[in-house]
Amino acid sequence: MTISRDMLATFLQVVDGLSVSHAADELGVGKSVVSKRVAQLEEALGATLFARSTRRIVLTPAGEVYAAHARRALAELQAGEEEVRALRSEMSGRIRLTAPVSWGQRVLAKRLPCFLKEYPGVEIDLQLADRIMDLAFERIDIALRWSTAPAPEFVCTPVARIDWVLAATPGYLADAGLPTTPQELRQHTCLAYWRESSDEAWMLARAGDPSPPVQVRVSSRYHVDNPEAVVDAALAGLGIALMPSYLCQDALDDGRLRPVLTDWVPHTKFGTLITALTTPDRLRVGRNRALLGYLRQDLERGTAQSQRASASRGT
């Protein structure tokens, strides 16, 4: 039998007055209800909590021990209820949110409507931008960013893992050949999110190998500063692309793109995490905490489903 909050509260009322009648009056229930709840608690514990006589009720040694624990448990339950009520009272107002353009469009924007349905008093202002925004000046509550290092002035919360893949069309690989080592990428046209010449040095580490990554200088005929355009170029058969999996997963699933060098893990300057940055005072606001908790749980579930699908394709 499960021990309920009513059982604990009733037991402690009897303890405080050493009277079933007193407990019934305090709780506003009949004496039979009090007796039933105490009997259910004793049954659940497998112990007698009160020694009863026609004149008085006294605690047994087991009852004395359990009373101390029951008080602490009931106090924790009450504190939790108060925190939840306080959180609910904060579930209104506006959350100003920023995120990278491609990830925001493909991943984040699909999840926010469900959050808004769950919390009808909350509003969200979402700004999608690849530039680094000044949280204080632009009045941003939460910034979701690619992250490779913690920012000491902010509270940093990882919310999503990003896997990077190398892939090309089957047609391109049939014409140009399938690379079997990172060094062979030099013989291919390579595509990546490009901002400066250093972006043409790709870093790859063998999966499970603690050795430092291998650096390969690649070449490209197409430089673009938008990751969606990288995927489009890969789908057009222009070369081998370095892409975040959330942008190309559908094409990998249906065979339009074929992964290459699957035993190697790309290392990029963007890292493998989307991190939420916020200030301590903003994190204390209930609606902001609720959004971060919702995103972490939902994105972790999505990542697990994606990993299961990838494992299924590999069998």
Side-chain angles (χ1 to χ4, degrees):
M1 180 182 293
T2 301
I3 295 175
S4 69
R5 187 184 189 283
D6 284 342
M7 291 181 195
L8 293 178
T10 301
F11 166 65
L12 291 174
Q13 283 291 349
V14 176
V15 170
D16 290 342
L18 291 178
S19 165
V20 170
S21 299
H22 170 80
D25 291 341
E26 289 294 320
L27 295 170
V29 299
K31 290 191 290 184
S32 61
V33 173
V34 173
S35 298
K36 181 179 179 181
R37 289 176 182 173
V38 171
Q40 288 174 331
L41 181 60
E42 289 178 325
E43 181 183 351
L45 294 171
T48 301
L49 302 175
F50 296 103
R52 301 166 178 84
S53 69
T54 55
R55 300 184 61 184
R56 61 182 186 139
I57 296 176
V58 296
L59 281 168
T60 64
E64 291 178 356
V65 169
Y66 191 69
H69 291 282
R71 288 192 194 281
R72 288 196 295 271
L74 193 59
E76 286 295 321
L77 287 172
Q78 291 170 340
E81 290 167 3
E82 290 172 3
E83 287 191 20
V84 168
R85 283 194 291 270
L87 178 63
R88 282 290 174 186
S89 70
E90 293 181 2
M91 287 298 102
S92 62
R94 181 170 299 176
I95 302 174
R96 293 179 174 85
L97 186 66
T98 183
V101 176
S102 66
W103 185 81
Q105 290 173 331
R106 290 293 188 97
V107 180
L108 179 64
K110 296 178 180 179
R111 285 158 169 83
L112 294 180
C114 291
F115 176 80
L116 289 172
K117 287 180 181 178
E118 185 172 346
Y119 298 102
V122 173
E123 301 175 29
I124 289 179
D125 284 353
L126 174 60
Q127 299 182 50
L128 299 180
D130 289 332
R131 66 183 177 88
I132 301 299
M133 301 179 72
D134 186 316
L135 272 64
F137 180 75
E138 302 188 60
R139 299 170 62 204
I140 300 296
D141 294 303
I142 302 171
L144 295 162
R145 294 178 180 169
W146 297 100
S147 178
T148 55
E153 68 271 31
F154 298 111
V155 179
C156 301
T157 306
V159 297
R161 177 175 173 82
I162 305 298
D163 293 319
W164 292 85
V165 297
L166 294 169
T169 61
Y172 171 86
L173 295 173
D175 293 338
L178 180 69
T180 58
T181 67
Q183 289 76 14
E184 291 178 16
L185 290 172
R186 297 190 183 100
Q187 303 164 19
H188 289 265
T189 299
C190 294
L191 307 163
Y193 183 48
W194 193 93
R195 285 184 171 179
E196 53 196 34
S197 59
S198 63
D199 292 333
E200 292 186 347
W202 288 6
M203 308 288 289
L204 295 98
R206 189 179 290 277
D209 188 338
S211 303
V214 173
Q215 178 173 302
V216 181
R217 192 78 182 178
V218 299
S219 60
S220 176
R221 297 167 47 219
Y222 186 45
H223 297 155
V224 59
D225 66 353
N226 180 280
E228 298 260 8
V230 174
V231 179
D232 291 339
L235 288 169
L238 199 57
I240 296 175
L242 174 59
M243 304 166 285
S245 61
Y246 67 82
L247 284 180
C248 61
Q249 195 61 59
D250 289 346
L252 291 170
D253 290 342
D254 62 25
R256 286 176 294 154
L257 291 176
R258 178 181 173 186
V260 302
L261 296 176
T262 54
D263 290 336
W264 293 82
V265 179
H267 287 228
T268 76
K269 64 184 179 183
F270 301 105
T272 58
L273 291 175
I274 295 288
T275 300
L277 278 66
T278 188
T279 57
D281 63 313
R282 291 288 84 199
L283 190 58
R284 285 192 288 270
V285 177
R287 59 182 176 271
N288 295 336
R289 293 200 310 275
L291 177 60
L292 286 179
Y294 171 84
L295 289 176
R296 288 189 69 182
Q297 183 177 30
D298 193 59
L299 291 166
E300 284 174 3
R301 182 166 57 247
T303 298
Q305 291 171 349
S306 176
Q307 288 174 343
R308 286 195 294 270
S310 297
S312 177
R313 287 194 304 272
T315 58

